[in-house]
Amino acid sequence: MEDPKKVAFYTLGCKLNFSETSTIARSFKDEGFARVDFSEAADIYVINTCSVTDNADKRFKTIVKQAQKANENAFVIAVGCYAQLKPEELAAVDGVDLVLGATEKFKITNYLNDLTKNDMGEVHSCEIEEADFYVGSYSFGDRTRAFLKVQDGCDYKCTYCTIPLARGISRSDSLENVLENAKKISEKGIKEIVLTGVNIGDYGKGEFGNKKHEHTFLDLVKGLDTVEGIERLRISSIEPNLLKNETIDFVAQSKTFVPHFHIPLQSGSNEVLKAMRRRYMKELYVDRVTKIKEVMPNACIGVDVIVGFPGETDEYFIDTYNFLNELDISYLHVFTYSERENTPAAEMDAVVPLKVRKKRSKMLRGLSAKKRRAFYETQLGKTKTVLFEGENKEGYIHGFTENYVKVKTPWDPALVNTLHQVELQEIGEDGIVRFSYVEEKAVV
């Protein structure tokens, strides 16, 4: 009997991509392939691409070279958002054999009849209007947590974003299916599930993108809260206008949902928000943060913000800086605006020079470090539950409290994927919190 063919995967971009890579990998396993690490020699390399930042485009070529180095005769496949947006561009990259768009990537094994190297990548890419069906997926990023996809696509038309072009209309998994996948994850002994999607607050639109909401995001949250065996559920990113009071109140008293929210803001200037075509003003954002802190004083709140959007004057940027400085939030994810083809923002005047974008980005990263430290300081002396992760990082094991405070302690393999009650004691020079055990290493 001949050895099974080997396949390796590389994922760029978001948690959603990671969950989809896992699903694609399982389809290879069902066809008898053996999965190996990307650094090893494989017969097929699958690269799941991202289109959100400039950097992701450039990194693609580097990753193809990595695959060729491991096996110059390997069959290289590109899937994902960038593969949908610019299939010809990826197909032209030296070494790429096959490019699959948004609907084709989940039928990847149907395209593997002939693994002969091509001079030019072959493209199978649908019109994005055809991406109207839903494929559920979940991933095991490590043994500790899993990313569970509940929704795909987006109906919002933010002027800077290519995601609706890359992923199509907003559509959701059925509640029944999501709960089924959550059960499968819990049976694997994974302690934490992170909900993921393109616009998860929009959950409920049918799998074909029809506008009838059979279930709401609140129904989803309530349903998941009843799944046995999951210790923690975390909402990843949710739009401020879709995060309702009922959801916040439910999370506050939930057994498993943790007090951690990640809410995109993008700008603290209403003028810039209008130019971005966001669906709220900054006043609504303040209202969401105030509500969360009212019912969960120790909640961690992360914020996405874009700097250097066309028309962002010094004054508008300072508005954003001051707005964030005064807001009771815990950390920032800062994105430097980069032009994207086929988006209205790419055609806008008043372009902010790159040098200015970088300077603003640096200022907000500094503010993020200050905010994170201030949040950690409010948690010192408190008793929290830590879930330890699986990696030995320079002799230490790291973990996160339910409200996303990062801690570390000397490496001990017995701690991996276990929960412990600890008292947070001090912030180390590296910005990570040290603790003492409340009970002698008894697992919760």
Side-chain angles (χ1 to χ4, degrees):
M1 193 176 137
E2 59 180 278
D3 288 341
K5 286 204 181 304
K6 292 175 181 168
V7 61
F9 298 87
Y10 197 106
T11 306
L12 290 158
C14 63
K15 296 183 178 90
L16 182 56
N17 269 7
F18 277 92
S19 77
E20 291 183 343
T21 298
S22 285
T23 297
I24 292 165
R26 283 193 285 277
S27 70
F28 272 92
K29 197 176 164 195
D30 294 344
E31 296 288 331
F33 282 82
R35 183 173 181 174
V36 297
D37 192 77
F38 201 83
S39 58
E40 295 175 43
D43 300 287
I44 298 176
Y45 292 91
V46 179
I47 304 166
N48 194 350
T49 62
C50 165
S51 68
V52 172
T53 62
D54 267 344
N55 201 16
D57 311 357
K58 292 171 190 142
R59 281 189 62 201
F60 176 75
K61 288 179 182 166
T62 315
I63 295 155
V64 172
K65 282 194 182 119
Q66 248 175 280
Q68 287 177 306
K69 206 168 158 187
N71 177 8
E72 61 181 31
N73 299 314
F75 197 79
V76 177
I77 306 173
V79 300
C81 290
Y82 201 52
Q84 174 64 35
L85 287 174
K86 298 198 174 170
E88 279 75 21
E89 201 171 292
L90 291 193
V93 172
D94 188 37
V96 174
D97 299 292
L98 180 63
V99 179
L100 299 179
T103 62
E104 291 79 10
K105 65 187 171 191
F106 294 111
K107 309 171 203 156
I108 189 166
T109 53
N110 299 353
Y111 295 94
L112 302 180
N113 302 331
D114 178 10
L115 295 183
T116 352
K117 294 290 287 172
N118 297 321
D119 291 339
M120 176 79 179
E122 193 182 311
V123 174
H124 294 276
S125 173
C126 64
E127 288 304 313
I128 198 58
E129 290 72 26
E130 292 165 32
D132 63 353
F133 60 90
Y134 184 85
V135 177
S137 48
Y138 53 89
S139 81
F140 308 122
D142 48 38
R143 277 178 30 212
T144 311
R145 70 169 62 86
F147 302 125
L148 172 58
K149 174 181 165 184
V150 299
Q151 182 274 342
D152 200 349
C154 189
D155 293 340
Y156 285 12
K157 299 284 187 284
C158 300
T159 51
Y160 51 81
C161 187
T162 55
I163 287 182
L165 300 172
R167 284 188 169 269
I169 53 174
S170 177
R171 54 211 190 271
S172 315
D173 208 345
S174 69
L175 188 56
E176 190 186 12
N177 223 7
V178 172
L179 298 181
E180 191 52 44
N181 283 341
K183 283 192 190 89
K184 284 180 192 164
I185 292 167
S186 85
E187 283 158 11
K188 295 239 188 283
I190 285 168
K191 301 279 200 292
E192 181 176 310
I193 289 179
V194 182
L195 301 187
T196 180
V198 174
N199 186 355
I200 64 173
D202 203 27
Y203 176 81
K205 286 184 180 165
E207 66 161 321
F208 298 101
N210 53 49
K211 300 300 180 231
K212 184 171 144 281
H213 279 62
E214 197 176 341
H215 294 103
T216 62
F217 184 69
L218 182 61
D219 294 335
L220 172 75
V221 166
K222 285 181 171 172
L224 283 165
D225 203 46
T226 63
V227 175
E228 293 294 319
I230 295 293
E231 299 282 347
R232 285 182 176 180
L233 284 155
R234 207 177 284 277
I235 295 168
S236 59
S237 188
I238 183 164
E239 293 284 310
N241 52 309
L242 296 173
L243 178 56
K244 306 290 189 224
N245 283 350
E246 299 80 15
T247 304
I248 296 170
D249 285 331
F250 183 80
V251 168
Q253 55 80 52
S254 155
K255 307 192 300 287
T256 44
F257 275 91
V258 293
H260 175 206
F261 294 87
H262 193 91
I263 314 169
L265 167 69
Q266 311 311 15
S267 175
S269 152
N270 282 342
E271 284 72 14
V272 177
L273 287 173
K274 282 175 196 160
M276 289 176 165
R277 277 196 220 143
R278 300 292 286 156
R279 298 198 176 192
Y280 53 86
M281 293 290 104
K282 65 181 184 183
E283 291 74 16
L284 175 101
Y285 200 92
V286 174
D287 181 59
R288 300 297 73 209
V289 171
T290 308
K291 170 68 184 171
I292 291 167
K293 288 293 187 174
E294 210 174 87
V295 293
M296 289 171 271
N298 295 307
C300 176
I301 301 174
V303 183
D304 284 342
V305 59
I306 294 171
V307 295
F309 187 81
E312 184 187 59
T313 60
D314 286 346
E315 188 188 350
Y316 290 160
F317 172 70
I318 293 301
D319 284 349
T320 295
Y321 187 95
N322 292 338
F323 179 74
L324 290 164
N325 194 26
E326 286 156 29
L327 209 54
D328 192 0
I329 51 149
S330 318
Y331 64 90
L332 307 172
H333 278 174
V334 184
F335 298 89
T336 306
Y337 171 74
S338 62
E339 284 77 4
R340 281 279 163 271
E341 270 179 47
N342 301 321
T343 59
E347 310 297 316
M348 287 180 182
D349 298 331
V351 171
V352 178
L354 275 175
K355 215 162 96 179
V356 177
R357 294 182 211 181
K358 284 182 179 154
K359 186 182 161 197
R360 289 176 185 173
S361 178
K362 198 174 169 185
M363 280 175 73
L364 283 187
R365 289 198 169 120
L367 178 61
S368 179
K370 190 181 105 176
K371 283 284 188 185
R372 193 185 295 270
R373 191 175 181 93
F375 172 63
Y376 282 6
E377 279 168 358
T378 66
Q379 300 304 299
L380 297 180
K382 291 189 162 61
T383 297
K384 294 285 164 199
T385 305
V386 170
L387 174 58
F388 287 103
E389 311 214 317
E391 212 179 323
N392 181 343
K393 291 185 179 168
E394 294 168 2
Y396 285 90
I397 187 168
H398 290 166
F400 285 94
T401 63
E402 59 273 46
N403 62 343
Y404 216 55
V405 173
K406 191 175 189 179
V407 305
K408 73 188 241 191
T409 194
W411 170 255
D412 174 355
L415 289 174
V416 172
N417 199 29
T418 63
L419 289 145
H420 297 272
Q421 289 239 303
V422 304
E423 185 184 298
L424 303 178
Q425 289 190 314
E426 59 175 357
I427 304 171
E429 279 179 22
D430 53 6
I432 301 172
V433 176
R434 308 298 190 274
F435 61 87
S436 62
Y437 290 98
V438 170
E439 78 294 41
E440 199 40 54
K441 292 202 183 182
V443 178
V444 176

